[in-house]
Amino acid sequence: GVWQLTNLSLWHSYTTGADEQRALALADGSQVHLNAGSRLQVRLGASARELRLLEGEAFFQVAADPARPFRVHAGQTLIQAVGTAFNVNRREQETTVSVMEGAVRITAADEAPASPPRANGADPGTGAGNAHAGTAAADILRPGEEARIDLTGDLVRRTGLDIAAMSAWRRDWLVFVDEPLADIVSGFNRHKHSPQIRIADERAARIRLSGVFDASDPESMLLFVGRLEGLAVRRSDGQIIIFSRNAAHP
């Protein structure tokens, strides 16, 4: 279904349940697509468009409006965009921002820029050029670029990514590139499959993996994990447990 936003001066809350995706049509022409298990607040004011991603994942297709910056708050991270399509995935330990079109600027939540993002005078929509650490452009992301920001504010950039894969969840695919197993399992559990999947030990949780999985088929992920050296999958008492082979069995 599609929600239509009204009463623009107020904060409005939107929540998706287990295995549910919803589309939100904003009055400014922007579109938001919420993944399962997500919570979003929206307020479209006269001078700014403010959104808070409290939990989960959302894809934003932003309508250009230079007079009203479009800002997404995700924990301690602030993402500001203009004429942009980007994805934000908020997890317990980090937030990932991926850009498909245009450009976004990432800052600490208490350092919101007053103007739309620009990178060395370039057109944010061109996707040309690369940002360099230590410059004002270091926090500008362009198409095919992604940033992971942890709870301390540390930012790790990745470039040259597959733009189509960045929002594959909208087509019920989960794409993971060098991500900890804990985040992969969380992505599947967000869809509330029964039984839920649990990781028994910290060593297993920290293992980083890459893969493309059908969100409706957690068994494909479990089969993949069970074949990896050092990991094992156990089913017991209605639970699915992943653990390190050298760890004590749960």
Side-chain angles (χ1 to χ4, degrees), residues 86-152:
F86 63 100
N87 196 82
V88 180
N89 189 359
R90 181 175 179 181
R91 306 184 181 100
E92 287 188 17
Q93 300 300 320
E94 66 181 21
T95 295
T96 302
V97 182
S98 312
V99 178
M100 293 76 169
E101 300 173 12
V104 302
R105 170 180 282 139
I106 299 176
T107 60
D110 57 352
E111 298 174 357
S115 59
R118 298 282 171 179
N120 296 333
D123 177 0
T126 65
N130 292 314
H132 299 283
T135 72
D139 294 335
I140 296 290
L141 293 182
R142 297 179 175 281
E145 296 185 339
E146 181 175 272
R148 293 177 180 172
I149 308 96
D150 65 19
L151 298 179
T152 68

Side-chain angles (χ1 to χ4, degrees), residues 24-65:
L24 171 61
L26 303 187
D28 69 336
S30 298
Q31 304 285 328
V32 181
H33 197 118
L34 285 180
N35 203 352
S38 300
R39 293 188 296 135
L40 179 73
Q41 293 179 334
V42 179
R43 182 177 66 185
L44 301 184
S47 59
R49 297 167 287 176
E50 305 283 352
L51 300 91
R52 298 170 180 160
L53 184 60
L54 304 178
E55 182 181 4
E57 185 170 17
F59 173 82
F60 302 91
Q61 180 75 54
V62 182
D65 186 350

Side-chain angles (χ1 to χ4, degrees), residues 27-247:
D28 69 336
S30 298
Q31 304 285 328
V32 181
H33 197 118
L34 285 180
N35 203 352
S38 300
R39 293 188 296 135
L40 179 73
Q41 293 179 334
V42 179
R43 182 177 66 185
L44 301 184
S47 59
R49 297 167 287 176
E50 305 283 352
L51 300 91
R52 298 170 180 160
L53 184 60
L54 304 178
E55 182 181 4
E57 185 170 17
F59 173 82
F60 302 91
Q61 180 75 54
V62 182
D65 186 350
R68 292 194 299 165
F70 190 100
R71 302 180 180 128
V72 178
H73 303 257
Q76 299 304 308
T77 304
L78 173 63
I79 306 104
Q80 180 168 323
V82 55
T84 298
F86 63 100
N87 196 82
V88 180
N89 189 359
R90 181 175 179 181
R91 306 184 181 100
E92 287 188 17
Q93 300 300 320
E94 66 181 21
T95 295
T96 302
V97 182
S98 312
V99 178
M100 293 76 169
E101 300 173 12
V104 302
R105 170 180 282 139
I106 299 176
T107 60
D110 57 352
E111 298 174 357
S115 59
R118 298 282 171 179
N120 296 333
D123 177 0
T126 65
N130 292 314
H132 299 283
T135 72
D139 294 335
I140 296 290
L141 293 182
R142 297 179 175 281
E145 296 185 339
E146 181 175 272
R148 293 177 180 172
I149 308 96
D150 65 19
L151 298 179
T152 68
D154 287 341
L155 183 150
V156 176
R157 300 172 64 95
R158 297 169 60 223
T159 62
L161 302 180
D162 182 349
I163 292 177
M166 288 177 163
S167 61
W169 59 265
R170 297 169 64 205
R171 301 180 297 277
D172 288 329
W173 288 96
L174 298 176
V175 178
F176 304 102
V177 180
D178 189 33
E179 300 198 29
L181 182 58
D183 287 345
I184 295 174
V185 167
S186 177
F188 274 96
N189 284 341
R190 185 179 291 167
H191 290 261
K192 295 296 188 294
H193 297 292
S194 181
Q196 292 278 279
I197 305 167
R198 185 168 67 87
I199 302 177
D201 59 279
E202 189 63 26
R203 180 171 181 174
R206 289 197 303 264
I207 291 178
R208 304 187 80 90
L209 302 171
S210 299
V212 180
F213 305 100
D214 184 341
S216 64
D217 182 21
E219 291 297 330
S220 64
M221 185 271 292
L222 294 169
L223 183 63
F224 172 75
V225 167
R227 290 175 173 169
L228 295 174
E229 183 178 354
L231 289 177
V233 178
R234 179 186 179 193
R235 300 166 193 271
S236 176
D237 299 326
Q239 294 188 83
I240 299 175
I241 304 169
I242 302 174
F243 58 95
S244 299
R245 291 186 185 277
N246 60 350

